[in-house]
Amino acid sequence: MIDWAAFVVVAGASLLGSVVVVSLYSLGLRLLTSAGRALVVDPQSFTGAITILTPKRAAKEAKRARKTASANPLTVVQKRLALVGAYSCFVLCVGAALYGVYLIVPALHR
């Protein structure tokens, strides 16, 4: 017989955990870009990309990133706090993933 209450608890915890991890990762990316660290990858340095940018498009994206960074209204301290917050969010994501592995692998409980 299936214990439906336990099933619902596990399903709810799984859903809540995934929402928390995705939200933390999204917030980390948002804080990272607010801190002025635009994520632009040159096509030559990352050849395994699904979409290869042309040099013209890469120059356009780099120009847009520089314009965005120069138009950032945050002070230096606020940018530093945003960067620390972004890295904290990423650390929490890694911690949640490692805790999930710890819960799944029984050999780690000894």
Side-chain angles (χ1 to χ4, degrees):
M1 193 74 176
I2 297 176
D3 184 7
W4 288 103
F7 179 77
V8 169
V9 167
V10 170
S14 304
L15 183 62
L16 181 66
S18 62
V19 166
V20 167
V21 169
V22 169
S23 298
L24 281 172
Y25 188 77
S26 299
L27 180 63
L29 284 179
R30 175 71 174 120
L31 289 172
L32 194 62
T33 56
S34 294
R37 305 281 174 113
L39 303 174
V40 177
V41 178
D42 294 331
Q44 297 85 10
S45 64
F46 186 60
T47 58
I50 295 172
T51 304
I52 301 296
L53 298 176
T54 62
K56 181 179 176 183
R57 176 69 188 251
K60 183 178 177 183
E61 292 294 328
K63 181 181 177 184
R64 191 182 87 191
R66 284 192 305 272
K67 183 178 176 184
T68 302
S70 67
N72 194 341
L74 298 178
T75 64
V76 175
V77 174
Q78 289 172 332
K79 287 181 182 179
R80 179 72 46 116
L81 286 174
L83 191 62
V84 168
Y87 290 148
S88 299
C89 287
F90 295 142
V91 166
L92 287 173
C93 286
V94 169
L98 291 176
Y99 183 66
V101 170
Y102 169 76
L103 290 176
I104 291 172
V105 178
L108 297 176
H109 293 267
R110 295 178 193 211

